[in-house]
Amino acid sequence: MPFQLKEIEEKITDSSAWEKINAVLDAHYDFSDGISISVKDVLVIITVIFFTTLLLKLVFRILTKKLPEADKTKFNVVFGYFRWLVYVVILLITLHAVGVNVTAVFAASAALLIGIGLALQTLFQDIIAGVLILLDQTIHVGDIIEIDGKIGRVEEVKLRTTRAVTRDNRVLIIPHHLYLTNSLYNWTQNGSTTREGVSVGVAYGSDVQLVKKLLLQAASSHDMVLKHPAPTVFFEDFGESSLDFRVMFTTNDSFQAVFPKSDIRFEIDRLFREHNISIPFPQRDIHIIQNTSEANLKE
């Protein structure tokens, strides 16, 4: 049996049809002095591209396995650019492997990519940061975030920017590269409730126990303050001109926390006036010393 197979193989190899196929596969086509490619090389390139496509699809499925459908669509846009970049690199490597001189092409591509990279450096940073946000799910729609001193509720997470609305109903557009250079605070990642506080100073000699009672009363009376955990008062420090206190409370809408904090300050001021507790302010005594000799000359 092996002998018969060997005879068949020899007959196929010696046949004129096989010679014609080899001749067609080995036929070279010259595009320039340094670029010559055969039909066999084209088939090799097509095969490599085919397997590269399968590999990229597998990588895409692995990376987007845990992403929501909306984020998969956004990530697919970025992955599309990456896919074409991979195709270009694989094509150049394959051409070089089959004997095509692509040194000039590599040099031109490197210079082009460097120029584009320098011109669009910030854009690339935004896109890369956007991909990282989509993958690790740092930010979701509805989250309240603080970055670079700005606070907003996330309305939309795009590929290059995050769109948020501030407390005064202004649209805040945050480029994603800021996440790479600034600390990002996600107020609601651990839940919708947050701890807020109001600070106040009272005059020395005030009844601190009464102050504590009034602060708890002011915080507990507000509708947006949760009963559990209950408000707490901290005696923070002996200040330069006041005894410093801070009342802490919990609210389930941190985005609107400025409103209960303002109301609680109004209530604290009212309660302190009723109980004759004064809120001091810094005072300075200025002493003017006049030179006696200058005073005599003026006379």
Side-chain angles (χ1 to χ4, degrees):
M1 188 67 179
F3 181 73
Q4 293 177 352
L5 292 175
K6 187 175 181 180
E7 284 185 350
I8 295 173
E9 184 180 351
E10 290 177 353
K11 287 181 180 179
I12 293 175
T13 305
D14 294 337
S15 64
S16 59
W18 180 256
E19 291 178 356
K20 290 180 181 179
I21 293 174
N22 276 332
V24 172
L25 293 176
D26 292 335
H28 280 72
Y29 298 92
D30 298 330
F31 295 94
S32 65
D33 295 336
I35 300 178
S36 178
I37 191 170
S38 66
V39 177
K40 186 186 297 183
D41 296 336
V42 174
L43 294 177
V44 171
I45 293 171
I46 293 174
T47 304
V48 172
I49 294 298
F50 174 75
F51 284 105
T52 301
T53 303
L54 295 179
L55 181 61
L56 288 173
K57 287 183 178 180
L58 178 62
V59 172
F60 179 79
R61 289 181 180 178
I62 293 174
L63 292 177
T64 60
K65 185 177 180 180
K66 297 182 179 180
L67 290 180
E69 289 298 327
D71 291 340
K72 283 184 180 180
T73 304
K74 298 173 185 177
F75 183 75
N76 190 29
V77 177
V78 184
F79 197 78
Y81 297 127
F82 173 75
R83 185 185 295 115
W84 284 111
L85 178 62
V86 171
Y87 282 148
V88 171
V89 174
I90 292 296
L91 178 62
L92 293 175
I93 294 175
T94 306
L95 288 174
H96 181 72
V98 297
V100 178
N101 183 12
V102 292
T103 304
V105 179
F106 270 119
S109 300
L112 178 62
L113 291 176
I114 291 174
I116 294 175
L118 293 175
L120 303 176
Q121 183 178 4
T122 303
L123 176 63
F124 290 156
Q125 289 179 349
D126 288 336
I127 293 176
I128 292 172
V131 172
L132 295 177
I133 289 172
L134 292 176
L135 290 177
D136 61 16
Q137 297 291 285
T138 305
I139 300 173
H140 300 85
V141 174
D143 286 351
I144 299 172
I145 61 173
E146 178 182 356
I147 184 170
D148 196 22
K150 300 178 179 64
I151 301 170
R153 190 194 300 273
V154 177
E155 297 290 331
E156 186 179 10
V157 181
K158 296 183 178 181
L159 181 61
R160 194 183 65 84
T161 60
T162 294
R163 180 177 175 271
V165 177
T166 62
R167 287 168 169 168
D168 51 2
N169 202 31
R170 296 180 180 179
V171 177
L172 179 63
I173 305 298
I174 307 173
H176 285 163
H177 75 270
L178 294 179
Y179 298 140
L180 302 176
T181 56
N182 294 272
S183 297
L184 172 66
Y185 298 94
N186 192 327
W187 289 11
T188 53
Q189 191 171 46
N190 291 333
S192 60
T193 61
T194 56
R195 294 284 285 177
E196 304 292 340
V198 172
S199 298
V200 64
V202 299
Y204 274 90
S206 301
D207 186 346
V208 293
Q209 294 301 324
L210 178 59
V211 170
K212 178 180 179 181
K213 177 183 177 181
L214 296 178
L215 291 177
L216 290 175
Q217 180 180 338
S220 302
S221 62
H222 200 280
D223 295 337
M224 294 182 65
V225 174
L226 301 181
K227 304 303 179 184
H228 303 284
T232 307
V233 173
F234 293 96
F235 192 156
E236 290 190 320
D237 200 1
F238 294 93
E240 184 178 353
S241 58
S242 65
L243 303 175
D244 298 331
F245 290 84
R246 183 172 180 82
V247 56
M248 301 293 297
F249 57 90
T250 305
T251 178
N252 57 4
D253 190 357
S254 56
F255 193 63
Q256 303 293 335
V258 291
F259 298 108
K261 289 167 74 172
S262 175
D263 294 339
I264 290 173
R265 290 189 183 98
F266 277 115
E267 183 65 11
I268 290 172
D269 181 71
R270 186 185 69 81
L271 292 173
F272 279 9
R273 289 178 185 274
E274 285 185 359
H275 294 82
N276 297 321
I277 296 177
S278 61
I279 300 176
F281 54 90
Q283 299 184 26
R284 295 290 183 271
D285 294 331
I286 300 176
H287 300 276
I288 300 175
I289 301 176
Q290 188 176 18
N291 193 314
T292 54
S293 60
E294 292 182 357
N296 293 331
L297 289 176
K298 290 180 180 181
E299 291 177 357

